[in-house]
Amino acid sequence: MAQAASVTGASGAGSAGVVVVGASAAGTATVETLRRSGYDGPLTLIGDEPHPPYDRPPVSKQLLSGEWEAERLLLRPAEEYTELDVRLRLGVPARALDTGAHRVRLADGTEVPYDSLVVATGARARSLPGTAGVSGVHVLRTVDDALALRTALADRPRLVIVGGGFVGAEAASVARSFDCEVTLITTGEAPLSDVVGPVLADALAEVHREHGVRLVTGTRVTGLLTEDGRVTGVRTDGGPAGGTSVPADVVLVGIGALPNTEWLAGSGLPLGDGVECDSRLYAGHDVWAAGDVASWPDAVSGTRLRIEHRTNAAEQGRAVAANILAGPGAAADFRTVPYVWSDQYGLRLQVFGLARGTGETQVVDGDPAQRKFTAVRVRDGRVVAALGMGMFRQLRTLRELVAERAPWQPESLTC
């Protein structure tokens, strides 16, 4: 196992300290934990966006709807970074990493030295081929994305959403509150079907239909229709019915995200679906990774994971900070029970564990049709996730089954 360098007490003359690339939830948790744990060396936080670090889950919920303004999303007041003696470098993306020289090169040409580096550059929204430069086509990942889409929705356009994941489902809910005509197109059997399974997905799909969303399932978008550089609709493969087109004034592409690792090409770090770390989130060369960009071998499931959840980002940031301070030989493996939530039409779906992928969904309590239930996802005979709506206390009791990947034994449940 590769050994990590310690920076404990690295406050002497000439120390480069810890540099965190990514002004994200993971990056903020890293610098805050380092300082509050006694690290007194130089600490730099670099971000490609001009905004101070902010919370991403409200971007597709409260910010998009207009319930909140952007300032409310800030993870910390600006003065807190001064109090923590953290140097912020915002609006300047990292362009390259020289692990031999321990330097990060930024887009403005400056180079930032480090003793330990944390990569927390997150992920970016996937785009559809042929959408670049087409007016009326949006993604939803950043504050600026949400504000641009919110402005577009205010005109009550015909909105086509490409993708049936969390972003697409949440945006559909918000768009209907603007009284927009909404069509959601997904390759799955229903929105979120790959996360919650067919029984729960059918119940959630009915909620969308009740609120006036047109669902087009089992269908792939193959291209855009445009006129004078502006989108006018989308082309689809039509599923079993054959190719067709759907008119649109605005299109939202919500087909997942890609980890931001391009700037690390040639650095010598192991790259795949993210920065490929060991079980301690260590990537070698005094470099760690945390958040959406980090890939690591999970000791419980035995698989390599990369998780795009807010709670996971903060947990990994804190874990990396602790491991940097612990030094070689004392760094701990990272373990977690992932948690994610989704707000749609005043309902909150909550998920513990790794629900996405193959498996069976078993309802434990309540009734999905009544929008009040708990359920588990079972894979290879073991509980890999717990899901619920309107029954959080009961859902919490299922969390331990997920943490242990317990065998599925419904007769032993007492909730």
Side-chain angles (χ1 to χ4, degrees), residues 227-294:
E227 185 175 325
D228 297 327
R230 181 170 184 85
V231 69
T232 59
V234 300
R235 293 191 302 271
T236 77
D237 64 8
T244 186
S245 63
V246 181
D249 304 307
V250 173
V251 171
L252 171 63
V253 179
I255 54 174
L258 294 169
N260 290 319
T261 58
E262 287 77 10
W263 69 282
L264 297 170
S267 66
L269 295 183
L271 304 176
D273 180 28
V275 178
E276 295 189 344
C277 307
D278 66 15
S279 58
R280 305 169 297 169
L281 302 177
Y282 183 62
H285 306 283
D286 299 323
V287 178
W288 307 76
D292 296 2
V293 76

Side-chain angles (χ1 to χ4, degrees), residues 52 60 75 81 100 107 123 133 138 142 155 179 232 293 355 361 384 387:
S60 59
L75 292 169
Y81 296 97
H138 296 257
T142 68
D155 292 331
D179 200 26
T232 59
V293 76
T361 300
V384 296
L387 311 91

Side-chain angles (χ1 to χ4, degrees), residues 263-342:
W263 69 282
L264 297 170
S267 66
L269 295 183
L271 304 176
D273 180 28
V275 178
E276 295 189 344
C277 307
D278 66 15
S279 58
R280 305 169 297 169
L281 302 177
Y282 183 62
H285 306 283
D286 299 323
V287 178
W288 307 76
D292 296 2
V293 76
S295 166
W296 82 101
D298 178 54
V300 177
S301 67
T303 59
R304 180 166 285 277
L305 302 178
R306 186 179 67 81
I307 296 177
E308 298 173 5
H309 296 169
R310 165 67 172 84
T311 52
N312 179 76
E315 288 176 357
Q316 288 192 337
R318 292 191 290 267
V320 163
N323 281 346
I324 289 173
L325 294 174
D333 291 344
F334 176 74
R335 295 193 178 191
T336 186
V337 176
Y339 170 72
V340 66
W341 72 96
S342 179

Side-chain angles (χ1 to χ4, degrees), residues 50-71:
H51 312 290
Y54 60 86
D55 212 7
R56 289 197 185 274
V59 164
S60 59
K61 303 176 180 72
Q62 293 91 342
L63 183 63
L64 181 61
S65 69
E67 181 182 349
W68 292 4
E69 292 303 327
E71 292 74 18

Side-chain angles (χ1 to χ4, degrees), residues 143-170:
V143 160
D144 293 336
D145 292 339
L147 294 178
L149 181 57
R150 190 171 86 182
T151 298
L153 295 182
D155 292 331
R156 297 170 59 187
R158 294 171 299 176
L159 173 67
V160 170
I161 299 172
V162 183
F166 285 116
V167 166
E170 291 172 2

Side-chain angles (χ1 to χ4, degrees), residues 71-152:
E71 292 74 18
R72 190 167 173 181
L73 273 63
L74 296 182
L75 292 169
R76 301 289 181 271
E79 58 270 18
E80 192 164 321
Y81 296 97
T82 301
E83 293 170 3
L84 292 171
D85 193 20
V86 174
R87 183 190 182 197
L88 284 178
R89 295 288 306 273
L90 301 176
V92 187
R95 287 291 183 246
L97 173 63
D98 185 335
T99 52
H102 277 50
R103 288 180 174 273
V104 177
R105 187 171 75 247
L106 304 183
D108 63 3
T110 60
E111 294 190 348
V112 182
Y114 64 87
D115 294 319
S116 288
L117 178 73
V118 180
V119 177
T121 45
R124 65 189 183 280
R126 290 178 182 269
S127 60
L128 282 173
T131 59
V134 178
S135 180
V137 178
H138 296 257
V139 294
L140 186 53
R141 182 81 184 179
T142 68
V143 160
D144 293 336
D145 292 339
L147 294 178
L149 181 57
R150 190 171 86 182
T151 298

